[in-house]
Amino acid sequence: MRLLTMATAAIMAASPVMADLVFPSLSYRTGPYAANGIPFADGYEDYFTLLNERDGGIGGVAARVIECETGYNTEKGVECYEATKGEGALVYQPLSTGITYQLIPKATADGIPVHSMGYGRTSAKNGAVFSNIFNYPANYWDGASHAVNHILDENGGDISGKKIALVYHNSAYGKEPIRTLTELSGKHGFELMEVAVDHPGQEQKSQWLQIRQQRPDYVLMWGWGVMNQVAIQEAANIRFPMDKFIGIWWSGSENDVLPAGDGADGYKALTFHNLGKDYPLFDDLQKYVVDAGKAAGAGDQVGTALYNRGMYAAMLAAEAAKTAQGIHGTAEITPAMMRDGMEALEITEAKMTELGLPGFGPEFSVSCENHGGNGLGAVAQWDAGAGEWNLITGYEASDQEVIGALVEEDSGAFAAENGITPSCS
């Protein structure tokens, strides 16, 4: 279904020269997190290239990706934001919780939306407080709940007395799930064991010695970059059962498991989108982008977990832009209009099928009260023999009774500290 109205089409026809729709990419192709930053950046840019080459842009206007290297450094990320916001930037994807925290006040003051997809400040789900920050389709607290729900399912709904360890990147990112897991431990009666790993995570001998000694029933991981592959190798070294080791979606790429070889077989990771490239859209990516020599990278990342995530982020941005064009009756949208499109975004299975991605992601909708979507997530498992990830669950709900209360509490505290009157008028 076309979102552009006849009025929009008429405006486009009357405006032969249009400014590009600008989508900055705060990437990191260098440093200890490059192996994970590269495929995301490739997928993000390739999708917009596809829209330009196949469709003539978005609503007849070309999309332009401005890539700025952050090295996963918060200060550099803020510098990239300041250097690119004047280019007409419609939405920022920081790909860093630290950068996101710094951009929340800046982008809000500048009237530019931020999409911290599956990361960042979880309570930004409350759009009445965080007007310009979005984190759909799921957030870290959803992820913590998805992991616990999976453990509950494996144990007949009773995990009282179980010990669950959280191995986490010692940063704002890694600390995000602790509050939720603490609440869930009280609700379900499990013991939470916290194990911090300092940046970048190349040395973890002492942490895994602690795990071997204390023998938790399950290990959850909030890691990124080299930390993930080191942790999985160390887990294999101490013979920790991989099917009891569950990573957040940022700890579930091919780069994380391949270095451990067969030792990684059975490792699990959460996800909010599907895996592989058996979708019609990837045929178009191959034809219009890779084979045409227009890929952002070497083309060797297409279909990998993080390439798919970058592509999915770009698809959601493009659909929000289309929604904004329809709402405002113009193809040349502003950042404020883009924000409106993001807040009115609705992703259905019919829409995903139309885009060539049937079954690729969960259905969700966004509103002023809810900038985080429906919070659905799934569990994937690594098959070392086949060299691929496979979904082993459907997209399932998180514990909104616990998470909703935490979002309300945290966003309310933020509003009070910053003199914000929550509003959805």
Side-chain angles (χ1 to χ4, degrees), residues 36 167 197 201-202 204-205 207-208 211 219-248 250-269 380-382 384 389:
N36 287 9
V167 176
V197 176
Q202 292 171 308
Q204 299 180 40
K205 292 291 184 184
Q207 286 88 348
W208 288 92
I211 289 170
V219 172
L220 309 183
M221 179 162 67
W222 254 248
W224 189 226
V226 68
M227 173 185 162
N228 292 335
Q229 56 188 254
V230 172
I232 292 169
Q233 183 63 66
E234 292 290 352
N237 290 346
I238 67 168
R239 300 183 184 278
F240 188 85
M242 283 294 162
D243 62 344
K244 308 298 184 187
F245 191 4
I246 307 169
I248 186 61
W250 302 110
S251 300
S253 76
E254 291 79 2
N255 296 325
D256 304 326
V257 290
L258 287 172
D262 291 341
D265 188 54
Y267 171 74
K268 296 175 181 176
Q381 188 166 36
W382 178 248
W389 291 99

Side-chain angles (χ1 to χ4, degrees), residues 21-44:
L21 300 178
V22 177
F23 298 91
S25 173
L26 302 191
S27 62
Y28 34 96
R29 297 181 180 274
T30 62
Y33 302 96
N36 287 9
I38 289 169
F40 186 98
D42 286 354
Y44 193 68

Side-chain angles (χ1 to χ4, degrees), residues 27-269:
S27 62
Y28 34 96
R29 297 181 180 274
T30 62
Y33 302 96
N36 287 9
I38 289 169
F40 186 98
D42 286 354
Y44 193 68
E45 184 167 349
D46 284 356
Y47 187 79
F48 287 116
T49 301
L50 171 64
L51 296 184
N52 287 339
E53 297 300 313
R54 185 192 65 189
D55 304 338
I58 302 171
V61 185
R64 177 163 60 100
V65 174
I66 303 174
E67 187 167 331
C68 187
E69 174 69 29
T70 72
Y72 195 69
N73 177 279
T74 297
E75 183 178 349
K76 289 182 179 178
V78 173
E79 289 174 358
C80 280
Y81 170 81
E82 295 294 347
T84 57
K85 70 179 184 180
E87 295 288 322
L90 291 178
V91 59
Y92 280 88
Q93 309 260 359
L95 200 60
S96 158
T97 292
I99 297 173
T100 300
Y101 267 70
Q102 293 300 310
L103 293 190
I104 287 172
K106 290 179 176 290
T108 302
D110 292 334
I112 303 173
V114 171
H115 185 200
S116 52
M117 185 180 74
Y119 60 93
R121 184 167 187 144
T122 297
S123 65
K125 179 173 183 173
N126 184 354
V129 174
F130 297 92
S131 60
N132 281 59
I133 315 302
F134 299 81
N135 54 11
Y136 52 75
N139 59 57
Y140 284 144
W141 296 352
D142 291 320
S145 176
H146 294 147
V148 171
N149 285 347
H150 182 64
I151 296 171
L152 282 164
D153 289 343
E154 290 196 328
N155 290 273
D158 182 7
I159 56 175
S160 56
K162 297 285 187 184
K163 182 185 291 185
I164 300 177
L166 171 67
V167 176
Y168 66 94
H169 192 278
N170 196 12
S171 65
Y173 153 56
K175 295 173 184 177
E176 272 288 319
I178 293 176
R179 290 182 67 184
T180 307
L181 291 172
T182 299
E183 291 291 325
L184 292 171
S185 70
K187 180 174 181 176
H188 297 293
F190 65 85
E191 177 187 348
L192 178 63
M193 171 184 166
E194 298 175 22
V195 183
V197 176
D198 290 334
H199 160 88
Q202 292 171 308
E203 177 50 57
Q204 299 180 40
K205 292 291 184 184
S206 63
Q207 286 88 348
W208 288 92
L209 175 61
Q210 181 184 357
I211 289 170
R212 186 175 69 179
Q213 291 172 337
Q214 298 200 24
R215 302 177 64 183
D217 297 284
Y218 287 84
V219 172
L220 309 183
M221 179 162 67
W222 254 248
W224 189 226
V226 68
M227 173 185 162
N228 292 335
Q229 56 188 254
V230 172
I232 292 169
Q233 183 63 66
E234 292 290 352
N237 290 346
I238 67 168
R239 300 183 184 278
F240 188 85
M242 283 294 162
D243 62 344
K244 308 298 184 187
F245 191 4
I246 307 169
I248 186 61
W249 33 72
W250 302 110
S251 300
S253 76
E254 291 79 2
N255 296 325
D256 304 326
V257 290
L258 287 172
D262 291 341
D265 188 54
Y267 171 74
K268 296 175 181 176

Side-chain angles (χ1 to χ4, degrees), residues 137-138 142 146 249 271-272 362-364 372-378 395-398:
D142 291 320
H146 294 147
W249 33 72
T271 184
F272 48 79
E363 294 187 312
F364 69 91
N374 300 350
L376 301 179
Y395 296 108
E396 298 174 356
S398 55

Side-chain angles (χ1 to χ4, degrees), residues 291-316:
D291 290 347
K294 297 180 181 295
D300 57 340
Q301 299 294 318
V302 177
T304 62
L306 289 171
Y307 181 96
N308 284 11
R309 192 158 305 154
M311 180 271 295
Y312 184 52
M315 182 275 286
L316 294 178

